[in-house]
Amino acid sequence: MTFTKPDKFDRSALTTIADELRTPFEGMPGLRLKSFMLDEEGVHARNFYVWDDEEKARAFFTDEIVQKVTGIYGVPPKIEFLDIVGLVDNSGA
């Protein structure tokens, strides 16, 4: 999910959003991980999700969710679905 704002996002505001929205995603069935990111220029905020399967991912991104996050970020998201063909996870190391 990518939000693009030409006049730039406020990093501290996005940090607050991430802190506030973290709890509903913790332990969410089917969601393996989620990250909240901001690019170097501050123009693109990205939320990256890894789901157990595509069906769960697509079921999550309802029109209601899109409207909700548009209100939170101030711009509508672009949603893309990608197939993970390889992954390195050092979190347990």
Side-chain angles (χ1 to χ4, degrees):
M1 179 178 280
T2 302
F3 303 88
T4 301
K5 193 170 183 181
D7 58 343
K8 298 190 180 186
F9 287 97
D10 177 286
R11 181 177 173 73
S12 63
L14 287 183
T15 300
T16 299
I17 290 169
D19 288 343
E20 291 174 357
L21 294 181
R22 177 188 188 104
T23 302
F25 291 98
E26 292 176 339
M28 181 179 279
L31 181 65
R32 292 186 187 184
L33 67 89
K34 176 181 179 173
S35 64
F36 298 85
M37 301 176 286
L38 180 63
D39 72 340
E40 289 181 285
E41 292 81 27
V43 174
H44 302 287
R46 292 188 177 96
N47 294 346
F48 183 79
Y49 304 75
V50 176
W51 297 89
D52 287 340
D53 60 54
E54 184 177 341
E55 182 180 321
K56 289 177 181 157
R58 290 188 182 275
F60 175 76
F61 295 103
T62 63
D63 289 340
E64 181 181 335
I65 288 292
V66 171
Q67 288 176 357
K68 183 176 181 176
V69 297
T70 297
I72 292 169
Y73 286 84
V75 290
K78 176 182 178 187
I79 299 173
E80 297 176 276
F81 294 91
L82 306 169
D83 188 12
I84 296 174
V85 298
L87 180 68
V88 175
D89 182 359
N90 293 323
S91 61

